Amino acid sequence: MTGAVPGQRFVDYFQPEQFRHLHTLMTSKRVPSGINLFQDRDRDAYLYYIHEGMVKIVNNTPSGEEIALSLKFAGDLIGELYASPAPFQWTNAIAMTDTLLGAIPKQELEALLLRHPDLALRFIQWLSVNQRILETKICDLLSYGKTGALASTLIRLCNTCGQKTETGILIPMKLTNQDLANFISATRESVNRMLNRMKRERILSLQSGRLIIHDLDRLRRLCHCDGRCPSHVCII
C-alpha cells in the first residue's frame, strides 16, 4: 500500500478561517519549470504561497556555486516578511516543476496581521519552526561529516515527501548526485561514492532514477539521529 509521509506545510499552522483571510490577498501567478519565481524588484513586495508544484530555494556563492537550502511544495510559503538589505539578498527560488503561486502583497499582509492578532501569532510560530529547521541542518553539516550530512538529507527527504512502498520509502522526484551535493556543500564525486557505498550495504537503491530508502535506521545511525526531533522539524 503506497502512502505519503507528509512534512508539515505552512498551511498546516492555520485554522481554515484564518487561512481564508490569507487567501483573499493572493493573486495567481504561474511560473514554468526552471524559472526564478521572482525578480529583485518583487522580492521586497510579495510573499508567495505554492498552490501547485515544487520549488527549490538556493543561495549562489560569489564564485557561482549553488547551495541548495530547501525544497518547497504545495502548501508552503516562500519569501521573507522583512527583506534584508540588498547585499544580503542572496536567496533565489527556482521552480522545479510548472508551478502555480499565490502572490501576497506584504503591505496588505501587514495590515491583515494587525487586524487579526491570532493570525500574527501563527506566523510567529511558523517563523520559529523554520528557524529551528535551519539550526538542525547546520548542526548536521558541522557535526557528522559529509556522510552524516547526506544521511540527514535523505532522512529529511523521507519525512518531507517520501512515499511508503512494499520495498521502502520512495523519494518521488528525480534528484541527481549534483542536486544532493548542493544540499551538503560536497562535490558530485564524493556524493557518488557515498551513494554507491549505501547501495552496496543495501541502505538504498535506485528505481527509474528515483531513490528508495530501505534501511532508515542505518541512515539514522550515520548521522547520530536519536529520532527525537519532531517530524515537522526534520524536513528538507
Side-chain angles (χ1 to χ4, degrees):
M1 184 77 174
T2 300
V5 184
Q8 190 169 15
R9 311 295 188 214
F10 171 79
V11 67
D12 299 327
Y13 288 87
F14 300 91
Q15 298 298 320
E17 181 62 28
Q18 293 173 324
F19 191 75
R20 278 193 287 272
H21 289 312
L22 289 174
H23 195 271
T24 61
L25 303 182
M26 297 181 190
T27 301
S28 295
K29 175 181 178 180
R30 287 196 176 273
V31 180
S33 176
I35 302 299
N36 280 1
L37 265 63
F38 43 73
Q39 304 299 319
D40 286 342
R41 65 179 179 273
D42 300 324
R43 193 189 307 267
D44 292 338
Y46 296 93
L47 297 175
Y48 296 90
Y49 177 78
I50 304 175
H51 290 294
E52 301 171 5
M54 180 175 70
V55 175
K56 179 170 63 174
I57 309 299
V58 302
N59 275 358
N60 294 104
T61 68
S63 62
E65 296 176 355
E66 180 183 290
I67 300 173
L69 300 178
S70 62
L71 295 174
K72 300 294 184 181
F73 300 85
D76 283 328
L77 190 74
I78 297 169
E80 301 178 9
L81 280 175
Y82 299 100
S84 303
F88 300 98
Q89 292 179 351
W90 299 328
T91 301
N92 290 316
I94 303 168
M96 301 297 288
T97 63
D98 292 344
T99 300
L100 176 62
L101 303 171
I104 304 174
K106 289 185 182 180
Q107 285 189 339
E108 294 182 26
L109 176 60
E110 289 177 6
L112 180 67
L113 295 180
L114 287 173
R115 295 196 303 271
H116 298 277
D118 59 321
L119 200 62
L121 178 60
R122 296 291 185 173
F123 256 92
I124 292 170
Q125 292 172 340
W126 171 71
L127 289 169
S128 177
V129 170
N130 274 267
Q131 179 65 28
R132 181 59 177 158
I133 292 168
L134 179 60
E135 290 172 357
T136 58
K137 286 181 182 178
I138 292 173
C139 180
D140 291 343
L141 283 170
L142 296 178
S143 300
Y144 305 119
K146 298 303 183 185
T147 300
L150 178 59
S152 171
T153 297
L154 294 173
I155 293 169
R156 290 174 184 276
L157 283 166
C158 289
N159 290 340
T160 303
C161 58
Q163 297 174 351
K164 291 181 179 178
T165 72
E166 292 180 355
T167 58
I169 301 175
L170 172 70
I171 307 301
M173 77 285 291
K174 290 184 178 180
L175 294 170
T176 67
N177 289 0
Q178 187 62 60
D179 290 330
L180 293 171
N182 291 345
F183 276 108
I184 64 172
S185 298
T187 64
R188 179 183 58 81
E189 292 77 12
S190 65
V191 168
N192 185 56
R193 289 192 296 271
M194 288 185 283
L195 287 177
N196 283 336
R197 185 165 61 248
M198 290 178 183
K199 290 174 190 175
R200 290 194 300 270
E201 296 175 2
R202 299 183 180 180
I203 297 173
L204 53 78
S205 64
L206 278 175
Q207 182 182 85
S208 301
R210 295 174 174 85
L211 287 166
I212 298 181
I213 308 303
H214 303 297
D215 195 337
L216 203 57
D217 288 336
R218 290 283 298 282
L219 286 180
R220 287 180 175 134
R221 288 198 292 273
L222 287 173
C223 61
H224 300 261
C225 170
D226 58 12
R228 291 187 296 179
C229 289
S231 60
H232 64 279
V233 170
C234 188
I235 59 176
I236 197 64

